[in-house]
């Protein structure tokens, strides 16, 4: 009986909102075709895959590729680099758009506010290839950044040939490229805070700093929490496109991450099954981090994705 009642309710809702369900079809089709269907291909991580035999005809090897990866020379290097870059990104790049949104919210001149927003949004819309070209030119010997380093007492060197500089350059370029775009969601959250709270705070004599600490930040805390949980779910998905465009063999010791290692093994060395095993390991760890972050957030501040 409960299942038949549920079916009747669903059919009634389908009839009443058929246009909305029709609008959902392209989205459902997208996820089925491009997100769920390719998951079948993950089985090659447990096989010795060759295109000649196909997925079904390739020999089953079980966990052999995972054992090779875990016992390999590059395992600790790529894991360490991925975790460090992800951690530095979380510490420095994640708070940057929040701080920018708070500063923009404090601006009173509308024209100046729009100028600042436009200037900070622009790098996000520039091609990543162009961005990496700019970064290379600025950090090469004789580049703008190098000249600044020399002015401050450093040495003139090609910074992307020095492994000590790579993480700093990567994080700084990420902040520059993404800070404006990622601040949009926080600015939108700020618009939802009731202005009466600020008026009441002003009457009570609260300064603008106290208003920010006791009204603005608590008002956007749910948004920050959700964005943090989502970021944790992509903790190990360091943007391999930028890394591949910036790195070179001389700085692999700090620049080579899991995603770039998968690219190199899978597309350049044709080790499809091994690279799939590494990618599957990366996805499983991301899933565990997402679930863990969601659980802790729900226990600590009652905010979560589910």
């Amino acid at each position: 009986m409960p299942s038949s009642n549920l079916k009747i309710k669903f059919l009634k809702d389908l009839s009443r909102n058929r246009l909305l369900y029709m609008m959902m079809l392209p989205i459902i089709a997208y996820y089925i075709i491009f997100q769920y269907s390719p998951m079948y291909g993950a089985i090659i991580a447990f096989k010795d895959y060759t295109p000649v035999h196909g997925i079904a005809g390739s020999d089953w090897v079980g966990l052999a590729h995972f054992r090779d990866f875990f016992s390999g020379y590059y395992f600790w290097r790529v894991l360490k680099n991925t975790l460090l870059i992800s951690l530095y990104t979380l510490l420095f790049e994640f708070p940057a758009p929040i701080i920018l949104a708070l500063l923009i919210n404090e601006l009173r001149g509308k024209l100046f506010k729009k100028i600042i927003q436009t200037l900070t949004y622009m790098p996000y819309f520039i091609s990543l290839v162009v961005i990496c070209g700019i970064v290379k030119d600025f950090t090469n010997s004789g580049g703008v950044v190098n000249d600044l380093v020399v002015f401050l007492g450093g040495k003139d060197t090609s910074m992307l040939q020095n492994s000590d500089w790579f993480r700093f350059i990567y994080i700084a370029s990420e902040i520059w490229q993404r800070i404006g775009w990622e601040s949009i969601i926080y600015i939108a959250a700020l618009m939802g805070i009731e202005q009466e709270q600020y008026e009441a705070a002003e009457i009570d004599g609260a300064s603008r700093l106290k208003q920010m600490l006791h009204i603005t930040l608590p008002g956007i805390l749910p948004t920050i929490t959700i964005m943090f949980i989502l970021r944790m779910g992509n903790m190990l998905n360091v943007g391999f496109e930028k890394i591949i465009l910036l790195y070179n063999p001389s700085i692999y010791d700090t620049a080579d991450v899991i995603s770039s290692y998968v690219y190199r093994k899978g597309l350049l060395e044709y080790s499809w099954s091994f690279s799939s095993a590494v990618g599957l390991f990366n996805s499983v760890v991301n899933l565990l981090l997402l679930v863990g972050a969601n659980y802790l957030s729900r226990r600590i501040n009652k905010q979560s994705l589910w």
Side-chain angles (χ1 to χ4, degrees), residues 27-39:
I27 301 173
I28 296 173
Y30 167 80
Y31 277 97
I32 291 175
I33 296 172
F34 296 106
Q35 302 295 330
Y36 289 101
S37 296
M39 291 175 67

Side-chain angles (χ1 to χ4, degrees), residues 223-264:
T223 303
I224 295 174
T225 302
I226 296 301
M227 297 302 295
F228 178 78
I229 294 172
L230 293 175
R231 179 62 64 89
M232 289 298 296
N234 289 293
M235 187 74 172
L236 300 187
N237 286 345
V238 180
F240 74 95
E241 300 96 338
K242 178 179 284 188
I243 288 182
I244 290 172
L245 289 169
L246 290 178
Y247 80 164
N248 57 76
S250 65
I251 57 173
Y252 277 175
D253 56 327
T254 59
D256 197 21
V257 295
I258 292 176
S259 53
S260 63
Y261 183 65
V262 169
Y263 163 79
R264 204 166 59 252

Side-chain angles (χ1 to χ4, degrees), residues 91 128 180 184 282 303:
L91 289 175
L128 184 59
I184 293 176
N282 187 60
Q303 299 288 337

Side-chain angles (χ1 to χ4, degrees), residues 53-273:
H53 298 97
I55 296 177
S58 298
D59 295 331
W60 186 270
V61 296
L63 300 176
H65 298 301
F66 294 93
R67 287 194 293 268
D68 291 343
F69 175 56
F70 295 147
S71 61
Y73 171 78
Y74 297 106
F75 171 70
W76 289 110
R77 186 181 78 176
V78 298
L79 183 62
K80 173 188 172 184
N81 291 340
T82 304
L83 289 175
L84 283 177
I85 292 177
S86 298
L87 181 62
Y88 291 154
T89 302
L90 192 66
L91 289 175
F92 299 106
E93 194 269 331
F94 180 76
I98 302 173
I99 296 171
L100 178 63
L102 293 174
L103 294 176
I104 290 176
N105 186 60
E106 293 299 316
L107 294 176
R108 293 294 178 257
K110 292 184 179 180
L111 179 61
F112 184 63
K113 183 185 294 189
K114 290 181 180 179
I115 292 173
I116 295 297
Q117 287 179 295
T118 302
L119 290 176
T120 54
Y121 295 165
M122 285 177 63
Y124 184 82
F125 297 98
I126 300 175
S127 168
L128 184 59
V129 177
V130 176
I131 289 287
C132 292
I134 294 173
V135 171
K136 285 183 176 181
D137 288 340
F138 282 7
T139 56
N140 279 338
S141 179
V144 175
V145 177
N146 240 314
D147 291 342
L148 181 60
V149 171
V150 172
F151 177 76
L152 295 175
K155 295 181 179 179
D156 186 9
T157 179
S158 182
M159 300 171 75
L160 283 176
Q161 299 294 326
N162 187 341
S163 57
D164 294 335
W165 278 103
F166 179 78
R167 290 172 187 149
F168 172 79
I169 293 172
Y170 179 86
I171 301 302
S173 63
E174 279 286 284
I175 294 174
W176 172 57
Q177 185 182 7
R178 304 177 67 88
I179 184 172
W181 177 257
E182 292 183 353
S183 68
I184 293 176
I185 190 168
Y186 300 110
I187 293 174
L190 289 170
M191 297 298 102
I193 300 176
E194 296 180 358
Q195 295 302 310
E196 289 80 0
Q197 297 184 53
Y198 293 105
E199 294 173 0
E202 287 182 4
I203 294 173
D204 291 338
S207 65
R208 293 176 67 176
L209 179 60
K210 288 185 176 180
Q211 292 177 37
M212 180 188 296
L213 293 176
H214 298 288
I215 299 176
T216 307
L217 279 176
I220 64 172
L221 184 59
T223 303
I224 295 174
T225 302
I226 296 301
M227 297 302 295
F228 178 78
I229 294 172
L230 293 175
R231 179 62 64 89
M232 289 298 296
N234 289 293
M235 187 74 172
L236 300 187
N237 286 345
V238 180
F240 74 95
E241 300 96 338
K242 178 179 284 188
I243 288 182
I244 290 172
L245 289 169
L246 290 178
Y247 80 164
N248 57 76
S250 65
I251 57 173
Y252 277 175
D253 56 327
T254 59
D256 197 21
V257 295
I258 292 176
S259 53
S260 63
Y261 183 65
V262 169
Y263 163 79
R264 204 166 59 252
K265 297 295 289 187
L267 295 181
L268 301 184
E269 299 180 17
Y270 307 109
S271 300
W272 295 292
S273 292

